[in-house]
Amino acid sequence: MPAGLPERLPILIAPSPLLKARARAVAAGDEATVRDLLPRMFATMYDAPGIGLAAPQVGTGLRVAVVDLMPDNVQTPLTLINPEIVALSEEMATREEGCLSLPNMYAEVTRPARAKVRFLDETGARREIEADGLLAACLQHELDHLDGVLFVDHLSSLKRNMILRRLAKETRQKQDAPARRFA
Ligand code: GNR
Ligand code: NI
């Protein structure tokens, strides 16, 4: 029985091996796990704050993601279970992306400008959305997570390594005791 506010989950930071793994499809028997996971994923995403969160980012290897672009600052939650790309535009678009698993790192990522995605919603109903703009980028970013792909994997190895090294350095500095910071 769920009681009180959903608990926020710790977000895995790169280079966690769980972020590189392919998540498995939600199947019969996963209902209780998914029902318990979704409110926690939304709470974690809103708290971060972020506009999307994939289950592998919180250590669950299931093909589940949540998205909310908060249009006009109004919560508009979107739950994606077993999402699949049905179509991608030939036209590409470039925009700055960030990722809760690569905190404080941002880079311009080029992806198809429009995406059609098929998925099951939180009630198990089959749905399909055709997205452009930020939603198209966010959906592709979340589906990538389910295949163990991060936005830096779309960059040149030079840019990717720069970001991963900077992140490793910042993570090290945060974890070090303040007295050891300059040691
Ligand atoms: O909060 C997020 N912002 C964002 C901006 C541009 C493209 C994708 C995203 S998703 C990201 C949250 C996240 O890490 N989701 O996996
Ligand atoms: Ni991400």
Side-chain angles (χ1 to χ4, degrees):
M1 178 186 92
L5 293 169
E7 159 202 358
R8 282 174 275 114
L9 301 164
I11 297 174
L12 298 177
I13 306 301
S16 167
L18 285 165
L19 294 171
K20 300 259 58 172
R22 187 186 151 84
R24 75 160 173 86
V26 171
D30 293 323
E31 293 87 354
T33 304
V34 172
R35 201 181 321 123
D36 179 71
L37 179 65
L38 286 171
R40 292 173 182 195
M41 285 181 63
F42 276 110
T44 305
M45 177 183 72
Y46 289 130
D47 184 68
I51 59 170
L53 184 71
Q57 294 182 275
V58 290
T60 297
L62 287 175
R63 302 188 78 79
V64 173
V66 296
V67 166
D68 194 338
L69 265 53
M70 301 274 298
D72 303 311
N73 265 348
V74 178
Q75 279 192 7
T76 312
L78 183 63
T79 298
L80 303 129
I81 298 170
N82 294 345
E84 286 174 63
I85 304 253
V86 183
L88 294 170
S89 64
E90 274 186 47
E91 188 195 332
M92 306 293 276
T94 301
R95 68 171 57 239
E96 186 170 75
E97 295 197 15
C99 181
L100 297 174
S101 295
L102 299 157
N104 304 315
M105 304 297 151
Y106 302 90
E108 303 264 303
V109 179
T110 301
R111 303 179 182 272
R114 291 178 302 284
K116 193 190 285 191
V117 179
R118 191 173 290 161
F119 58 98
L120 302 177
D121 70 13
E122 66 282 0
T123 72
R126 281 172 57 96
R127 288 183 52 185
E128 199 171 282
I129 51 180
E130 234 182 305
D132 62 7
L134 180 60
L135 182 58
C138 185
L139 289 172
Q140 292 175 70
H141 177 121
E142 300 316 330
L143 267 77
D144 271 353
H145 274 300
L146 305 181
D147 292 327
V149 174
L150 301 174
F151 81 77
V152 290
D153 296 320
H154 293 279
L155 308 177
S156 68
S157 58
L158 179 72
K159 286 185 187 171
R160 174 168 56 251
N161 290 334
M162 267 174 46
I163 288 177
L164 293 176
R165 286 202 195 99
R166 187 151 27 98
L167 177 64
K169 185 178 169 189
E170 285 188 11
T171 307
R172 217 163 41 237
Q173 285 177 348
K174 254 192 210 146
Q175 281 171 353
D176 271 5
R180 286 177 30 104
R181 209 183 308 163
F182 302 105

